[in-house]
């Protein structure tokens, strides 16, 4: 699912950052802190953030429908194969699971960090028990698996203070990792977490904007469906990792690949420092604070 969410989020951000009258995004959503109606939704002052999410998703559901349709159209376009089936496609590249297993610390102490437009952190074994110590659960889908119960999975940044987690349900196909089955509704499979060290303040424009951004992105991508896809990993000419996406029968999905992504194997993990500190908001034009330092797999 990593490639699905990492493809959905930029599409959602691009449309959400467009002018309200052009993209179909309700202006009250983009300017939630200045809206009288939004102010009513945010009251009372002590409204828990999880309840705020439920209220805003309900409030915005109808207004976001047109944008969801645009997102679905754009996402479907990325699922169109860009070539014919390639012979031995799944024997190319690197068996990333075995490679990580061979590193000092093995599967339990290494993860795949992707830095780019959509930062993500993927675990190929159990998620460290203390990883979510500074995070609060906002909501979970009906088919979601808790990070602490999952055999692996990926965290993806959807805002300056928010991540979604999707448990690994893949199967190995040669050197490729493939989804077991289609996804009918993305939000059914994910949990949303919020960085608790940044308090939710309904009287703060910045706090409301951060929540609104995450709610909009999650709401727009959550209703999407996807067929099974596969990922392979290889090293480029400079020795850096690349992720390439295919259909299960070996047809390339080139539009899902992002040459701007930087993939690193890290042995020290911190969700906020590695994901949210590298997140760039397209709604507020805030720039990330710079790449987070991490222990890297020597190439």
């Amino acid at each position: 699912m990593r490639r699905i969410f990492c493809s959905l989020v930029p599409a959602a951000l691009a449309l959400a950052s467009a002018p309200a009258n052009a993209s179909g995004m309700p202006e009250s959503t983009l300017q939630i802190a200045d809206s009288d109606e939004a102010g009513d939704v945010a009251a009372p002052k002590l409204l828990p953030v999880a309840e705020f999410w439920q209220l805003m998703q309900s409030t915005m559901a109808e207004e976001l429908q047109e944008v969801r349709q645009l997102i679905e159209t754009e996402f479907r376009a990325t699922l169109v194969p860009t070539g014919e089936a390639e012979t031995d496609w799944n024997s190319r590249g690197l068996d990333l699971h075995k490679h990580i297993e061979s590193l000092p610390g093995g599967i339990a102490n290494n993860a795949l960090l992707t830095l780019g437009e959509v930062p993500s952190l993927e675990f190929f074994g159990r998620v460290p028990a203390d990883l979510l110590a500074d995070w609060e659960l906002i909501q979970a889908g009906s088919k979601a698996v808790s990070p602490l119960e999952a055999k692996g999975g990926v965290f993806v940044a959807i805002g300056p203070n928010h991540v979604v987690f999707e448990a690994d349900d893949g199967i190995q196909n040669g050197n490729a990792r493939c989804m077991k089955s289609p996804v009918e509704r993305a939000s059914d499979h994910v949990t949303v977490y919020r960085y608790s060290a940044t308090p939710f303040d309904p009287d703060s424009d910045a706090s409301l904007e951060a929540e609104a951004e995450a709610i909009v992105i999650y709401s727009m991508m959550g209703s999407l469906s996807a067929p099974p896809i596969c990922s392979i990993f290889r090293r480029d000419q400079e020795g850096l990792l690349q992720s390439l996406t295919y259909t299960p029968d070996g047809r390339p999905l080139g539009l899902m690949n992002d040459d701007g992504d930087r993939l690193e194997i890290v042995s020290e993990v911190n969700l906020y420092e590695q994901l949210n500190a590298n997140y760039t908001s397209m709604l507020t034009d805030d720039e990330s604070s710079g790449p987070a330092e991490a222990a890297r797999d020597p190439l």
Side-chain angles (χ1 to χ4, degrees), residues 109-263:
N109 294 290
N110 291 281
L112 180 67
L113 174 66
T114 300
L115 296 178
E117 192 170 17
V118 186
S120 67
L121 188 64
E122 185 169 8
F123 293 87
F124 295 82
R126 294 286 183 181
V127 173
D130 60 349
L131 187 70
L132 293 167
D134 297 324
W135 295 80
E136 60 182 318
L137 174 67
I138 298 298
Q139 61 185 47
S142 59
K143 300 178 182 179
V145 178
S146 164
L148 300 183
E149 297 176 356
K151 297 179 180 178
V154 61
F155 291 90
V156 181
I158 61 167
N161 298 312
H162 302 79
V163 296
V164 294
F165 174 79
E166 213 278 329
D168 178 24
D169 68 342
I171 55 175
Q172 201 71 18
N173 179 357
N175 288 344
R177 189 71 176 172
C178 300
M179 294 163 51
K180 279 184 181 178
S181 56
V183 171
E184 295 181 0
R185 182 179 173 85
S187 61
D188 289 343
H189 299 267
V190 302
T191 49
V192 182
Y193 290 89
R194 185 185 184 280
Y195 189 54
S196 57
T198 303
F200 171 60
D201 181 1
D203 291 328
S204 164
D205 288 358
S207 183
L208 289 173
E209 287 170 359
E211 297 305 318
E213 177 163 355
I215 292 169
V216 167
I217 295 170
Y218 172 81
S219 298
M220 287 194 293
M221 71 183 189
S223 62
L224 296 180
S225 60
I229 62 173
C230 303
S231 294
I232 65 169
F233 297 87
R234 71 178 186 187
R235 295 196 186 276
D236 62 20
Q237 295 179 346
E238 298 178 355
L240 302 177
L241 282 173
Q242 272 189 324
S243 175
L244 302 177
T245 312
Y246 286 83
T247 63
D249 62 358
R251 290 174 293 164
L253 297 173
L255 296 177
M256 296 196 75
N257 303 327
D258 190 341
D259 295 335
D261 282 351
R262 188 171 84 249
L263 281 64

Side-chain angles (χ1 to χ4, degrees), residues 246-281:
Y246 286 83
T247 63
D249 62 358
R251 290 174 293 164
L253 297 173
L255 296 177
M256 296 196 75
N257 303 327
D258 190 341
D259 295 335
D261 282 351
R262 188 171 84 249
L263 281 64
E264 306 171 0
I265 296 174
V266 297
S267 57
E268 296 179 6
V269 294
N270 182 302
L271 281 182
Y272 185 79
E273 293 298 326
Q274 289 168 320
L275 300 190
N276 301 95
N278 287 289
Y279 178 85
T280 300
S281 170

